[in-house]
Amino acid sequence: MSKISKLFKGSSSSSSSSSSKSKHHKSRGGPSPQEAIHRLRETEEMLTKKQEYLEKRIEQEIVIAKKNGTKNKRAALQALKRKKRLEQQLTQIDGTLSTIEFQREALENSHTNTEVLKNMGFAAKAMKKVHENMDLDKIDDLMQDITEQQDVAQEINDAISRPFGETFDEDELLAELAELEQEELEENMKTMGGLPSVPSSKVPSGRPSQRASKYKTART
């Protein structure tokens, strides 16, 4: 075998191997979900247009069968046969559309779930990164410090709000208040015409003889 033939053979084998590798790589990677969904939608649109075409053809065959009727029985029967075949194709397309629609919805749901899981994993990694520099023991110590400072602040507020100056016995103040109320009640009774006060000094009484002589003088 000549050198040229060997070189040609090697180049062809290498090109075939590279092409097989590229095909294997493509088949291994496969289409993306977006591409597959797009292809399925295009197929649905194509089959829908095919349905519309078949429905129009069926209507035309019915018109032909009615037009010929018994006048041209053979043409009428041929039209009805064509109508039956078209109806069979229409039924097959309906089943195919249902299958494609189910596959597309399943693929869309799978793609959505994949994106959701991907985003959840991304969020979990971000949360983990945030919590890397956090120490639970330090957080507990911090919360204890906050609680202690709140207690100190409450004590300061109580101390500031505490009144200054002399302190008085509350029982004594209540007794004094009762006396003041009693005095005010007595004053109100006097102004309203209550019982007169009893004089403290006694009225001097005269002798019996003097009262009798005065009585006699008055009668004469």
Side-chain angles (χ1 to χ4, degrees):
M1 185 181 293
S2 63
K3 294 182 179 180
I4 298 174
S5 61
K6 289 181 180 180
L7 181 62
F8 179 76
K9 184 177 181 181
S11 61
S12 61
S13 62
S14 61
S15 61
S16 62
S17 62
S18 62
S19 61
S20 63
K21 287 181 180 179
S22 61
K23 290 180 180 179
H24 179 69
H25 178 71
K26 289 182 179 178
S27 62
R28 184 178 180 182
S32 64
Q34 293 87 348
E35 293 175 351
I37 292 171
H38 180 68
R39 292 286 185 87
L40 291 174
R41 288 188 182 277
E42 288 181 345
T43 305
E44 284 179 329
E45 292 178 359
M46 179 188 68
L47 292 176
T48 302
K49 291 180 180 179
K50 182 69 174 178
Q51 278 183 329
E52 294 175 355
Y53 170 75
L54 292 175
E55 289 174 354
K56 291 180 180 179
R57 286 285 310 276
I58 290 171
E59 292 177 358
Q60 292 176 359
E61 297 299 334
I62 292 173
V63 171
I64 294 172
K66 288 181 179 180
K67 183 178 179 180
N68 291 298
T70 56
K71 296 179 182 179
N72 191 349
K73 189 175 181 180
R74 182 178 179 182
L77 292 176
Q78 290 294 332
L80 293 177
K81 289 179 181 179
R82 288 192 297 269
K83 182 179 77 70
K84 292 292 184 181
R85 289 195 297 270
L86 294 173
E87 288 176 348
Q88 289 177 356
Q89 293 180 20
L90 189 62
T91 302
Q92 292 175 354
I93 291 175
D94 288 337
T96 305
L97 276 174
S98 299
T99 303
I100 291 176
E101 184 178 359
F102 175 79
Q103 187 179 12
R104 177 179 55 80
E105 291 177 352
L107 185 58
E108 288 176 347
N109 293 331
S110 299
H111 177 62
T112 302
N113 294 333
T114 302
E115 292 297 324
V116 170
L117 292 174
K118 186 186 299 182
N119 293 332
M120 291 177 66
F122 182 76
K125 291 180 180 178
M127 188 178 296
K128 183 178 180 180
K129 186 175 181 181
V130 171
H131 292 161
E132 283 179 354
N133 298 326
M134 290 186 180
D135 189 358
L136 293 177
D137 296 332
K138 292 181 179 179
I139 294 174
D140 292 336
D141 295 338
L142 177 61
M143 296 304 297
Q144 290 179 0
D145 292 339
I146 292 173
T147 303
E148 291 177 358
Q149 294 302 320
Q150 288 178 348
D151 294 338
V152 171
Q154 185 63 38
E155 292 178 359
I156 293 173
N157 291 331
D158 294 340
I160 293 174
S161 61
R162 189 177 302 143
F164 291 95
E166 297 179 356
T167 56
F168 301 95
D169 188 2
E170 187 175 357
D171 294 335
E172 292 180 358
L173 295 175
L174 291 174
E176 184 176 355
L177 179 61
E179 292 178 359
L180 293 174
E181 290 178 350
Q182 183 63 29
E183 291 178 0
E184 184 179 1
L185 179 61
E186 292 177 356
E187 292 292 335
N188 292 332
M189 290 179 65
K190 288 180 181 180
T191 55
M192 294 174 61
L195 296 175
S197 58
V198 180
S200 58
S201 60
K202 295 181 180 181
V203 178
S205 59
R207 293 179 180 179
S209 60
Q210 292 178 354
R211 289 200 301 271
S213 61
K214 290 180 180 180
Y215 179 73
K216 290 180 180 179
T217 306
R219 290 184 64 182
T220 56

